[in-house]
Amino acid sequence: MAINTLTGKVVIITGASEGIGRALAMVMAREGCQLVISARNETRLASLALEIAHYGPAPFVFAADVSSAEQCQALVAATVAYYGRLDILINNAGMTMWSRFDELTQLSVLDDIMRVNYLGPAYLTHAALPHLKASEGQVVVVASVAGLTGVPTRSGYAASKHAVIGFFDSLRIELADDNVAVTVVCPDFVVSQIHKRALDGAGKPLGKSPMQEAKILTAEQCAEMMLPVIAMRERLLITSLRGRLGRWLKLIAPRLIDKIARRAIASGH
Ligand SMILES: NC(=O)c1ccc[n+]([C@@H]2O[C@H](COP(=O)([O-])OP(=O)(O)OC[C@H]3O[C@@H](n4cnc5c(N)ncnc54)[C@H](OP(=O)(O)O)[C@@H]3O)[C@@H](O)[C@H]2O)c1
């Protein structure tokens, strides 16, 4: 597989301080990418930068909140000032919820999720686009299987992931003549911080993960699956068999896919 096409590429990864983004930064550094690692937590970013510097070029660290259009612009400007170009933008930062909609008492949960999961990638991609056109580069978004079908306790999250998939599927068509690739990644459950940081109905983090973590993908496994898909500039990765089958089941047996989603949340895997 042509993973070596990634060597030397200038890559921004958002949400690099934890979980999938952190694991992806490690594997992309291994492939010789010139990384910009971003998130809000500067201490976690600094510790990742040290780890990466053991076996690859030291990454450029830039702290930013993707829900701010100004900070997204600053991240892109700093990247181009530092490396002189941008080849791949990976919109990975995200957050989730864990509450039935009828138990939601803080409607701001819906705003927060939409700002980070949908508006963040839109703002950042808008700032990056002139540079991605110049490099005939690639934009990647880490969406979710919850962007392909409904998931109970995740209504606001599923809405944000459906939005981001619709957005990037539209952008792919617009950018075809510019030779900028658009890759949508839909992970199924992955071990990360997102489950314990999920907002409950009152807008407070759950504090512990309700997932059966031994039964789901690790962040490292997810990152290894993403690597060739990004290198080959493919349009879509769905990490699980039920996710891939689910797209067809939704057309021919929609009640069955609802049942599978209900069971996945109830069992935590
Ligand atoms: N884990 C799963 O089961 C799963 C499944 C499907 C899809 N996904 C998606 O995968 C992506 C990565 O999630 P993860 O599971 O790796 O979660 P995670 O461990 O909680 O990591 C989320 C990352 O996003 C960053 N982040 C959150 N809000 C941000 C903001 N406003 N601005 C900038 N960075 C922000 C966090 O860093 P700071 O707090 O330092 O900012 C952290 O680095 C998300 O888009 C998520 O929706 C995850």
Side-chain angles (χ1 to χ4, degrees):
M1 215 154 295
I3 290 180
N4 61 4
T5 58
L6 291 173
T7 308
K9 294 274 195 245
V10 175
V11 183
I12 295 178
I13 304 180
T14 67
S17 64
E18 306 280 0
I20 297 169
R22 191 177 181 93
L24 190 63
M26 299 291 280
V27 297
M28 294 196 89
R30 185 190 71 201
E31 299 304 322
C33 293
Q34 306 187 80
L35 293 179
V36 182
I37 52 172
S38 188
R40 293 164 304 175
N41 186 323
E42 295 188 36
T43 311
R44 295 282 295 154
L45 289 175
S47 91
L48 174 62
L50 274 181
E51 259 182 80
I52 288 175
H54 280 308
Y55 63 91
F60 177 54
V61 177
F62 193 91
D65 182 335
V66 295
S67 65
S68 153
E70 291 74 26
Q71 292 186 35
C72 289
Q73 285 157 9
L75 169 56
V76 172
T79 298
V80 175
Y82 190 81
Y83 287 116
R85 58 186 285 126
L86 172 63
D87 298 301
I88 306 178
L89 167 64
I90 301 183
N91 289 293
N92 166 74
M95 60 182 295
T96 192
M97 63 187 286
W98 197 289
S99 169
R100 286 175 55 98
F101 185 64
D102 56 13
E103 291 171 0
L104 195 64
T105 54
Q106 272 302 332
L107 288 176
S108 60
V109 167
L110 302 178
D111 302 52
D112 294 348
I113 290 177
M114 209 50 122
R115 273 199 202 98
V116 176
N117 293 3
Y118 165 57
L119 289 175
Y123 293 154
L124 190 53
T125 303
H126 190 264
L129 220 42
H131 307 288
L132 294 174
K133 284 184 182 174
S135 63
E136 300 197 343
Q138 181 177 15
V139 52
V140 179
V141 64
V142 183
S144 169
V145 289
L148 302 172
T149 197
V151 180
T153 73
R154 304 287 172 90
S155 53
Y157 178 74
S160 72
K161 296 298 188 179
H162 276 73
V164 90
I165 291 176
F167 178 88
F168 281 99
D169 279 348
S170 306
L171 196 62
R172 182 185 296 109
I173 305 167
E174 291 184 11
L175 294 178
D177 291 341
D178 298 296
N179 202 22
V180 175
V182 175
T183 299
V184 174
V185 177
C186 294
D188 203 315
F189 291 139
V190 176
V191 179
S192 74
Q193 298 303 307
I194 203 166
H195 310 292
K196 63 179 83 145
R197 297 171 97 187
L199 300 181
D200 66 15
K204 301 268 178 305
L206 287 185
K208 66 180 179 84
S209 172
M211 308 307 300
Q212 290 201 44
E213 298 201 331
K215 295 189 176 174
I216 62 179
L217 275 189
T218 64
E220 291 70 28
Q221 287 169 323
C222 183
E224 293 289 358
M225 290 175 85
M226 289 170 67
L227 197 63
V229 170
I230 295 171
M232 303 297 285
R233 294 164 66 94
E234 286 177 21
R235 57 188 287 149
L236 178 66
L237 167 68
I238 301 173
T239 63
S240 64
L241 181 62
R242 71 178 169 192
R244 291 190 288 275
L245 290 178
R247 301 180 81 206
W248 304 106
L249 279 179
K250 196 174 176 188
L251 296 175
I252 55 175
R255 285 190 199 160
L256 182 56
I257 189 70
D258 288 356
K259 219 170 175 175
I260 291 170
R262 182 194 291 270
R263 201 181 310 132
I265 290 298
S267 67
H269 67 89

